Amino acid sequence: HFFSPEELYEFRSLEELATFEIPKANHKRMHQHNPNNLSLQAKISKDEYLDCVRDIIKHIKLGNIYEVNFAQEFVVRNVQIDPVRLFIKFLDHSNAPFSAFYKIGDHYAICGSPERFIKGKGDRICSEPIKGTIRTSVNPLENEALIDQLLHSSKDRSENIMAVDVVRNDLSRTAEKGSVVVTDLCRLETFQKVHHLISSIESKRKKGMTNVDVIQHAFPMASMTGAPKISAMKYIERYENFRRGLYSGSIGYFDLENDSFDFNVVIRTIQYDASKHILSFATGGAITALSNPEEEYQECFVKAKSIMQTLFD
């Protein structure tokens, strides 16, 4: 039996999704035959995830932190794929504007990111954090209701605004005085499987500062850390049970002829080790004082299902 995208949506929890056995007939869907059974494994159980989120919320309510981006990792072992073909499928499934394909030796990054980290043209700089996510629906009435729910969600807006404040602070370090402005706050953008809230913050690069300086002072990006940034990173280190590596990093380019650059946020990304036949990806979301642990878990589920559909459709 092949799992269709519609059938994948029948899974009610990440835990259920993460422990199902992929039938042998589905191996062709992974682009190359593999004689072993395949299974997606979550590195953290639902109960452990919920406990971590509750602990983070306690720290937020005590005033130790305002927001933490908390993620979890999934792994598929004993798998052989064609990374190029999988990347093409990623493009077909998501049409993500900041997709990327990257290879170093036997290690591949197959990235379907919807999020820009930072770009520059001359002395003009722009960062566009995403915070606020809800699934789409093929039912027009339900889809409109979901959009309305996201646009009026105080929790999602607070996530986005906190990320915007961190970005403003980051850009101010390399900007002309008074040039940091929020040009768009919490606009709605729709992708194939999810709706997002996206903001835009712009600045004018200060004389004496290079493009590398701008990126260095803004990295790691606010949307994948939290607020305050350094404190959030300490809580990430404390509660996440995996090393992020490239996940939540950035892939991009410098165009020296046109004095420009553009870098993404590495999310919705499959990492593949061809020598060890291991595939992995991570999903997460921002935890705030208004977070509901179960809803945070389900947000991870929405993002994971989007990746799973690409893998096994």
Side-chain angles (χ1 to χ4, degrees):
H1 176 68
F2 291 137
F3 284 98
S4 67
E6 292 76 16
E7 288 171 313
L8 282 173
Y9 269 91
E10 294 301 313
F11 288 100
R12 300 301 178 186
S13 72
L14 270 175
E15 203 165 44
E16 186 180 346
L17 176 65
T19 56
F20 82 89
E21 291 294 320
I22 303 165
K24 287 184 178 181
N26 247 9
H27 294 174
K28 290 179 67 177
R29 297 295 181 94
M30 297 298 288
H31 313 305
Q32 292 187 19
H33 178 70
N34 189 312
N36 302 316
N37 285 326
L38 305 176
S39 63
L40 180 71
Q41 299 173 327
K43 284 196 171 181
I44 186 171
S45 70
K46 179 179 180 179
D47 288 341
E48 290 171 329
Y49 176 90
L50 295 178
D51 286 343
C52 287
V53 173
R54 293 187 190 104
D55 279 353
I56 292 170
I57 292 173
K58 287 179 184 177
H59 286 291
I60 293 172
K61 291 182 176 179
L62 287 171
N64 299 332
I65 191 76
Y66 300 118
E67 176 184 311
V68 177
N69 183 278
F70 181 57
Q72 60 175 303
E73 186 178 39
F74 300 87
V75 176
V76 180
R77 302 183 186 277
N78 302 318
V79 60
Q80 297 181 38
I81 65 170
D82 180 334
V84 175
R85 290 181 62 189
L86 183 56
F87 178 62
I88 292 170
K89 284 187 65 182
F90 241 43
L91 296 180
D92 290 341
H93 272 251
S94 65
N95 197 29
F98 303 106
S99 300
F101 180 87
Y102 201 70
K103 176 183 184 294
I104 299 180
D106 290 327
H107 296 269
Y108 296 83
I110 302 154
C111 176
S113 176
E115 184 173 1
R116 168 180 279 133
F117 165 39
I118 195 166
K119 73 171 181 176
K121 173 72 173 176
D123 61 3
R124 307 307 303 184
I125 308 298
C126 178
S127 182
E128 297 185 300
I130 290 178
K131 273 286 162 266
T133 302
I134 200 166
R135 67 180 178 87
T136 59
S137 174
V138 294
N139 182 302
L141 291 178
E142 182 183 26
N143 198 53
E144 286 300 317
L146 290 167
I147 290 173
D148 186 71
Q149 179 182 335
L150 179 61
L151 289 174
H152 293 90
S153 167
S154 57
K155 183 261 184 186
D156 288 295
R157 287 187 65 85
S158 69
E159 283 183 18
N160 196 294
I161 291 169
M162 274 191 273
V164 167
D165 284 342
V166 175
V167 172
R168 289 172 62 215
N169 180 67
D170 290 343
L171 292 184
S172 69
R173 299 175 184 177
T174 56
E176 293 283 358
K177 187 175 180 179
S179 70
V180 180
V181 293
V182 179
T183 57
D184 212 345
L185 185 65
C186 296
R187 72 177 180 271
L188 179 80
E189 289 199 16
T190 296
F191 299 87
Q192 288 192 353
K193 300 299 178 184
V194 292
H195 303 291
H196 283 308
L197 296 181
I198 304 177
S199 294
S200 297
I201 308 94
E202 298 182 4
S203 68
K204 182 178 180 181
R205 178 162 50 84
K206 185 164 49 180
K207 289 182 179 179
M209 290 288 178
T210 67
N211 289 334
V212 173
D213 291 329
V214 172
I215 295 171
Q216 184 175 6
H217 283 89
F219 187 85
M221 59 287 297
S223 63
M224 297 304 293
T225 50
K229 183 185 284 189
I230 300 300
S231 295
M233 291 166 66
K234 291 178 180 178
Y235 281 95
I236 289 169
E237 177 75 13
R238 176 175 175 179
Y239 285 101
E240 290 185 356
N241 66 349
F242 72 104
R243 294 289 183 179
R244 288 191 177 185
L246 182 61
Y247 172 70
S248 80
S250 186
I251 299 172
Y253 66 87
F254 290 96
D255 182 347
L256 301 182
E257 289 186 1
N258 295 297
D259 189 22
S260 64
F261 65 89
D262 204 352
F263 283 79
N264 73 1
V265 177
V266 178
I267 53 176
R268 319 291 161 80
T269 297
I270 292 168
Q271 297 186 60
Y272 179 57
D273 186 333
S275 62
K276 296 181 179 178
H277 308 302
I278 295 176
L279 177 152
S280 64
F281 62 87
T283 65
I287 311 303
T288 71
L290 299 176
S291 290
N292 176 295
E294 183 67 37
E295 290 177 359
E296 295 296 336
Y297 177 78
Q298 291 303 324
E299 182 176 330
C300 287
F301 185 28
V302 169
K303 295 170 181 175
K305 285 193 296 186
S306 176
I307 296 173
M308 287 292 294
Q309 287 174 332
T310 304
L311 282 172
F312 302 118
D313 176 25

